Amino acid sequence: MHKVYNTECNPCSSAVPKHYQHILALAFAVKEINENPQLLSNITLGFQIYDSYFNAKWTYHATMLLLSSLRRFFPNYKCGTQTNLIAVIGGLDCQTSLHVATILDIYKIPQLIYGPDPVMHDKIPGLYFYQLVPREALQYEGILSLLLHFRWTWIGIIVMDNDTGERILQTVLPVFSRSGVCFAFVERCPMLSLVTEIEDMFQEGARIHDKIMGTKTNVLVANGESYSVVFLRWLPYLSKQEHASNEPKGKVWIMTAQMELTSVVYQRTWDAQILHGALSFTFHSKDLPGFQTFIESRNPSTTKGDDFIRDFWQQAFSCTFPDTGFGNVIGDICTGDEKLESLPGPFFEMNVTGHSYSIYNAVYIVAHALHAMFSSRFKNRAMEDGKRGKLQNQNLWQLHNFLRSVAFNNSAGDMIYFNQNGELIAGFDIINWIVSANQSFHRMKVGRMDPQGPSDQRLSINEDAVTWNSWFNQVRPLSACSESCYPGSRKKVKEGEPFCCYDCIPCPEGKISEQKDMNDCYKCAEENYPNNKQDFCLHKTVIFLSYEEPLGLILACCALSFALTTALVLGIFIKHHNTPIVKANNQDLTYTLLISILLCFLCTLLFIGQPQKVTCLLRQTAFGIIFSVAISCVLAKSITVVLAFMATKPGSRMRKWVGKKLANIIVISCSFIQAGICTVWLTTSPPFPDIDMNSLTEEILLECNEGSVTLFYGVLGYMGFLAIVSFTVAFFSRKLPDSFNEAKFITFSMLVFCSVWLSFIPTYLSSKGKLMAAVDSFSILASSAGLLGCIFSPKCYIILLKPELNKREQIIRR
């Protein structure tokens, strides 16, 4: 039994010789299947090819011819059993596929398309498409990944002025924009038109070319149909720029899979350098065993049944067969011995292209589906009377079920099967177009878009294998509206321009940017700080006033030295406790004052070293109480001096107040008030060890947090109050007789004390880090030393160096 397999393929149009390989791939696949006894035995496949001429009217006409078995066109009328339409392959362009599908859908005949997805409208029902190429979304995902890989963020877009182009602009461009790619221009190329409109098309082409060459962008993404490259090759010849350079600017063209480097006859000698270095997403293909041999065997004189070969031969080799019937032949005579491998790539390629590979797979898909259908139908049935089964009696619409489940390895080793949406599971190859000056054309595979990989690893690209346009001197092209903002700066979008056109401004103080082209700067973590270039965070150094550093060591030595000096003074006074100068001003007060000054010096050590819980609790409270005791002693001395001279007046009632009792009351009561303030402080909001990460830029400060700032300044304020009272009392008693007068020394010591602590407050508030502890320590040392030096140095001088003055007669002589 002889059955015919019909197919419609966008033909080898007389204008595009390169498409002749599509016919050869179809014929080669049918030949292999018919010679394979394991596949469709007793069934012979055949095919018919019709041209759509890129026209809806002719597409519908050709589709109806496929459905009629007569040479004359009678829709729905079949006679004979030799021609049965099983499936349709095509078309090359999406509009052709859509027009064919509107008719095939009536008959439930499957259509295997090897072009892009047709633009579907709401009014069109679900059509029987089987997509032989990867889903289009994967292609644009790959283009976006390619742009981001090379950091090309300033690009031009060229689409065809049709439904597909509009769909790209509406769906793909927003995705590109969200990923940081913006557009120098978006141009719509005119479709092939009537001859009367060709002048307008040329003018539009000239405008597009001049805009492409006049823009700063170096990367162009072109989405087009199979014939689009023919139009693009026109562009350099349409330019209206009078002073155009002899060597036009190079551009990186990124082509979609539908576009091939093709050439029509009149473009044979045209320069194709405009496309040199282009990157093209192509349908995955492999060399088919025996295909090149099959091609090489094609010859106009020996090949039968091929109505295309003579027309192809004449156009491809620019010759004429003598028996064409045109009378005298002008030009070269076709001998039929010309070699296809000698043709330039834009006219014909010996290696199988992506489209041809898809057609080859389509034929095998239908053959395997038919084989599976017949095997399941006749598995348990023998052939009746030795007759072959009649194909026309089968319900061929059931072929869809077998097409969806078909799965096999083709002769190139690729696994062929559809997913649940009727799409072939395949990826894209990324091809680098290399065009030489002699019009030779070479494809170099430089990458792959794998649909099975993780979303962030689907694109693989071998950048070193890419040959760029000679304009770029084999250096990776740059395509950005603005130069990159380096780390340490951020982008500031220019008003009224696309978001990828920006100025670079330095990061504000305290912030960094670690990467190029950051939209904003950010602060480092609290434990880090920006470096000088503001492009990296450095770890802060932990600091505190330690004994190991010079400042801490000096303060500790000073504290110990003053404490030792105070102890010596105390020892001197104890040794000479019976001398008049020691007895003169309440001996117990003197000892108490010296001990409190000694402890004040030692309190300084609490401010040196790493803050701990105990040292933080004792720092200010111990200092406040001890210093209050010292000032209370000074106040008691001052009051005692005044009362002593007032009591010498006849009839004075002050005599009963003169003595140790009043002095002790003053010291105890004044100290008790300070102790009460400190107790409230420790019980309500005590000091505690704290970490200050913000006060200093490059350092982390270990410090004592004072807890209640109000009580802290209350302690200082109370000490200041006692000092002022002591200074006032001593000041008014400064004119008493010198031989018995401590008031002058107390006045001066309180002046020093008040000066130190008045300057302490602004200095403390303006200090940062460990200097705050140093200021505290220095103020304690200075004020304590002032008390020690001003009050006790004159007495030590008399005791040690002028003992003759340390006599009762000298003290009471006046």
Side-chain angles (χ1 to χ4, degrees):
M1 177 176 282
H2 180 266
K3 298 296 180 184
V4 180
Y5 164 69
N6 295 276
T7 179
E8 189 273 340
C9 167
N10 212 30
C12 168
S13 169
S14 60
V16 187
K18 191 168 186 174
H19 289 171
Y20 180 62
Q21 191 191 89
H22 302 174
I23 297 174
L24 297 183
L26 176 66
F28 178 66
V30 171
K31 176 177 179 293
E32 281 190 335
I33 293 170
N34 288 336
E35 293 175 353
N36 184 355
Q38 305 300 322
L39 187 63
L40 291 179
S41 58
N42 299 323
I43 295 177
T44 302
L45 294 182
F47 59 88
Q48 294 178 5
I49 298 176
Y50 289 90
D51 195 349
S52 67
Y53 297 101
F54 304 108
N55 182 281
K57 173 184 176 182
W58 285 105
T59 302
Y60 287 126
H61 179 78
T63 307
M64 295 303 296
L65 287 176
L66 284 172
L67 299 169
S68 174
S69 60
L70 294 177
R71 293 191 177 275
R72 297 184 63 186
F73 174 47
F74 291 100
N76 294 327
Y77 178 77
K78 296 182 179 181
C79 69
T81 61
Q82 297 296 318
T83 56
N84 298 281
L85 181 61
I86 306 303
V88 172
I89 300 175
L92 180 59
D93 300 303
C94 58
Q95 284 300 102
T96 300
S97 301
L98 187 61
H99 296 325
V100 172
T102 55
I103 296 178
L104 295 184
D105 180 54
I106 302 172
Y107 300 93
K108 305 299 184 290
I109 296 174
Q111 181 183 7
L112 291 83
I113 60 175
Y114 58 98
D117 301 330
V119 179
M120 306 297 289
H121 302 286
D122 294 338
K123 63 181 180 179
I124 296 178
L127 303 178
Y128 290 91
F129 286 137
Y130 294 89
Q131 192 78 28
L132 293 170
V133 294
R135 55 188 176 86
E136 199 172 33
L138 179 67
Q139 176 173 225
Y140 293 107
E141 180 185 335
I143 292 175
L144 177 58
S145 299
L146 190 70
L147 294 174
L148 297 179
H149 172 82
F150 288 111
R151 298 186 181 90
W152 293 331
T153 57
W154 183 239
I155 66 171
I157 299 289
I158 299 177
V159 298
M160 299 304 295
D161 191 9
N162 57 15
D163 289 345
T164 303
E166 289 303 316
R167 180 184 60 177
I168 299 305
L169 298 182
Q170 294 175 13
T171 60
V172 176
L173 265 61
V175 177
F176 281 27
S177 295
R178 288 194 294 269
S179 299
V181 178
C182 53
F183 313 103
F185 60 85
V186 176
E187 290 293 339
R188 296 169 175 82
C189 286
M191 299 281 290
L192 290 179
S193 184
L194 300 175
V195 176
T196 55
E197 300 175 0
I198 198 165
E199 179 64 26
D200 294 336
M201 188 175 69
F202 284 170
Q203 290 181 0
E204 180 66 10
R207 185 191 64 80
I208 293 174
H209 176 268
D210 294 345
K211 190 163 188 176
I212 290 173
M213 293 305 166
T215 187
K216 294 181 179 179
T217 181
N218 288 323
V219 176
L220 308 173
V221 175
N223 172 273
E225 306 293 353
S226 57
Y227 53 81
S228 300
V229 174
V230 173
F231 177 79
L232 293 179
R233 294 187 65 187
W234 268 100
L235 294 182
Y237 299 91
L238 301 176
S239 175
K240 292 185 177 181
Q241 294 180 354
E242 296 180 0
H243 303 289
S245 172
N246 292 331
E247 184 181 356
K249 293 181 180 179
K251 302 290 181 181
V252 178
W253 291 82
I254 299 178
M255 307 285 193
T256 53
Q258 192 66 4
M259 303 175 69
E260 287 280 357
L261 180 53
T262 56
S263 178
V264 292
V265 175
Y266 58 80
Q267 291 178 324
R268 177 182 297 274
T269 60
W270 287 17
D271 186 11
Q273 286 297 305
I274 185 177
L275 300 174
H276 176 58
L279 296 174
S280 173
F281 279 73
T282 62
F283 306 130
H284 172 69
S285 64
K286 286 184 178 180
D287 287 336
L288 299 172
F291 185 61
Q292 282 199 14
T293 304
F294 177 76
I295 292 176
E296 292 170 356
S297 67
R298 310 300 286 184
N299 187 288
S301 59
T302 59
T303 302
K304 297 181 179 180
D306 188 346
D307 294 335
F308 295 92
I309 189 169
R310 290 172 64 86
D311 185 47
F312 159 75
W313 210 271
Q314 292 180 120
Q315 294 183 62
F317 292 103
S318 188
C319 62
T320 305
F321 286 100
D323 56 347
T324 55
F326 291 109
N328 295 329
V329 176
I330 301 175
D332 296 335
I333 301 297
C334 295
T335 64
D337 296 329
E338 292 84 2
K339 301 297 183 183
L340 290 176
E341 56 266 30
S342 66
L343 291 173
F347 276 91
F348 192 80
E349 292 184 61
M350 298 298 291
N351 294 325
V352 64
T353 64
H355 289 125
S356 298
Y357 191 71
S358 298
I359 294 171
Y360 176 85
N361 288 331
V363 178
Y364 266 93
I365 288 171
V366 176
H368 278 276
L370 280 172
H371 183 80
M373 185 176 72
F374 292 141
S375 296
S376 65
R377 188 73 58 83
F378 301 117
K379 183 176 182 180
N380 299 317
R381 293 177 54 187
M383 301 297 288
E384 296 181 0
D385 301 326
K387 296 181 179 179
R388 299 170 183 175
K390 297 189 179 296
L391 188 62
Q392 70 272 18
N393 293 331
Q394 310 302 326
N395 295 320
L396 292 179
W397 57 267
Q398 295 177 350
L399 183 65
H400 290 286
N401 295 327
F402 297 94
L403 283 172
R404 295 188 188 101
S405 59
V406 70
F408 63 94
N409 287 319
N410 68 7
S411 62
D414 281 338
M415 185 67 183
I416 307 298
Y417 65 99
F418 292 113
N419 63 13
Q420 59 184 2
N421 298 320
E423 299 168 343
L424 193 70
I425 303 300
F428 288 94
D429 294 333
I430 302 175
I431 302 298
N432 185 207
W433 291 2
I434 302 174
V435 182
S436 302
N438 62 356
Q439 297 298 305
S440 65
F441 171 62
H442 178 64
R443 299 169 181 262
M444 173 66 72
K445 182 178 177 180
V446 295
R448 168 89 171 145
M449 190 65 186
D450 185 5
Q452 307 296 329
S455 59
D456 57 341
Q457 299 178 9
R458 290 178 180 174
L459 177 73
S460 59
I461 185 76
N462 182 8
E463 186 176 344
D464 295 334
V466 178
T467 299
W468 304 111
N469 191 289
S470 55
W471 174 271
F472 303 111
N473 295 321
Q474 203 48 35
V475 177
R476 181 208 281 189
L478 302 176
S479 191
C481 182
S482 301
E483 292 186 3
S484 294
C485 291
Y486 288 94
S489 62
R490 69 175 182 87
K491 298 190 295 187
K492 181 182 179 183
V493 178
K494 296 179 180 179
E495 188 174 354
E497 297 191 26
F499 63 86
C500 59
C501 299
Y502 48 80
D503 295 319
C504 298
I505 60 174
C507 288
E509 185 177 356
K511 293 187 176 183
I512 70 160
S513 60
E514 292 183 305
Q515 300 175 357
K516 286 185 177 182
D517 296 331
M518 294 193 66
N519 292 321
D520 201 2
C521 304
Y522 63 92
K523 289 184 177 180
C524 295
E526 285 190 336
E527 64 273 12
N528 299 326
Y529 70 95
N531 61 351
N532 292 335
K533 294 182 178 180
Q534 294 181 277
D535 59 358
F536 190 74
C537 287
L538 301 174
H539 289 291
K540 290 184 177 181
T541 305
V542 177
I543 63 165
F544 55 88
L545 186 61
S546 66
Y547 292 101
E548 286 78 15
E549 58 183 303
L551 181 59
L553 184 60
I554 291 172
L555 290 174
C557 291
C558 290
L560 294 174
S561 300
F562 282 126
L564 181 60
T565 302
T566 306
L568 290 175
V569 172
L570 179 60
I572 291 171
F573 272 63
I574 293 174
K575 182 178 180 181
H576 299 87
H577 65 281
N578 291 324
T579 59
I581 200 168
V582 176
K583 293 180 178 181
N585 293 98
N586 194 330
Q587 193 172 6
D588 293 338
L589 278 179
T590 300
Y591 294 157
T592 303
L593 178 58
L594 283 172
I595 292 172
S596 61
I597 291 175
L598 173 63
L599 293 177
C600 282
F601 284 130
L602 295 178
C603 275
T604 306
L605 300 178
L606 294 174
F607 291 85
I608 305 173
Q610 183 172 345
Q612 303 292 337
K613 185 175 182 180
V614 175
T615 56
C616 287
L617 289 172
L618 294 178
R619 273 187 182 184
Q620 303 294 352
T621 55
F623 157 68
I625 293 172
I626 295 170
F627 231 128
S628 296
V629 173
I631 300 174
S632 299
C633 291
V634 173
L635 177 60
K637 276 180 170 289
S638 301
I639 293 175
T640 300
V641 171
V642 174
L643 292 178
F645 280 96
M646 292 177 65
T648 59
K649 296 179 181 179
S652 175
R653 297 180 180 179
M654 294 297 177
R655 289 186 178 183
K656 63 179 180 179
W657 295 102
V658 178
K660 295 183 178 180
K661 184 177 180 180
L662 178 62
N664 292 339
I665 291 174
I666 292 173
V667 172
I668 293 173
S669 61
C670 292
S671 302
F672 181 78
I673 294 174
Q674 184 71 294
I677 297 174
C678 290
T679 302
V680 174
W681 186 8
L682 291 176
T683 54
T684 56
S685 182
F688 57 89
D690 196 10
I691 299 175
D692 183 2
M693 294 185 173
N694 301 317
S695 296
L696 300 175
T697 303
E698 302 180 6
E699 296 157 330
I700 297 175
L701 174 63
L702 300 183
E703 62 176 1
C704 287
N705 190 308
E706 306 304 346
S708 174
V709 178
T710 303
L711 292 173
F712 169 65
Y713 284 108
V715 169
L716 295 181
Y718 181 72
M719 286 193 298
F721 169 74
L722 291 179
I724 291 172
V725 172
S726 298
F727 173 76
T728 303
V729 173
F731 180 77
F732 286 113
S733 62
R734 71 189 186 283
K735 294 183 179 180
L736 294 175
D738 289 340
S739 298
F740 190 74
N741 191 8
E742 276 188 319
K744 287 183 179 180
F745 303 130
I746 292 174
T747 301
F748 190 69
S749 68
M750 288 296 101
L751 185 63
V752 173
F753 182 91
C754 291
S755 300
V756 169
W757 287 101
L758 285 175
S759 61
F760 162 79
I761 295 176
T763 307
Y764 182 82
L765 293 176
S766 61
S767 299
K768 291 183 178 181
K770 57 187 177 183
L771 291 180
M772 298 177 70
V775 169
D776 247 331
S777 302
F778 178 79
S779 300
I780 295 172
L781 290 176
S783 56
S784 300
L787 291 177
L788 180 65
C790 294
I791 295 176
F792 294 100
S793 58
K795 295 181 179 182
C796 290
Y797 175 75
I798 293 174
I799 292 172
L800 298 177
L801 301 178
K802 296 291 184 178
E804 65 275 10
L805 299 178
N806 191 10
K807 294 181 179 180
R808 183 178 176 79
E809 296 79 9
Q810 291 294 330
I811 296 176
I812 63 173
R813 66 193 173 110
R814 295 183 63 183

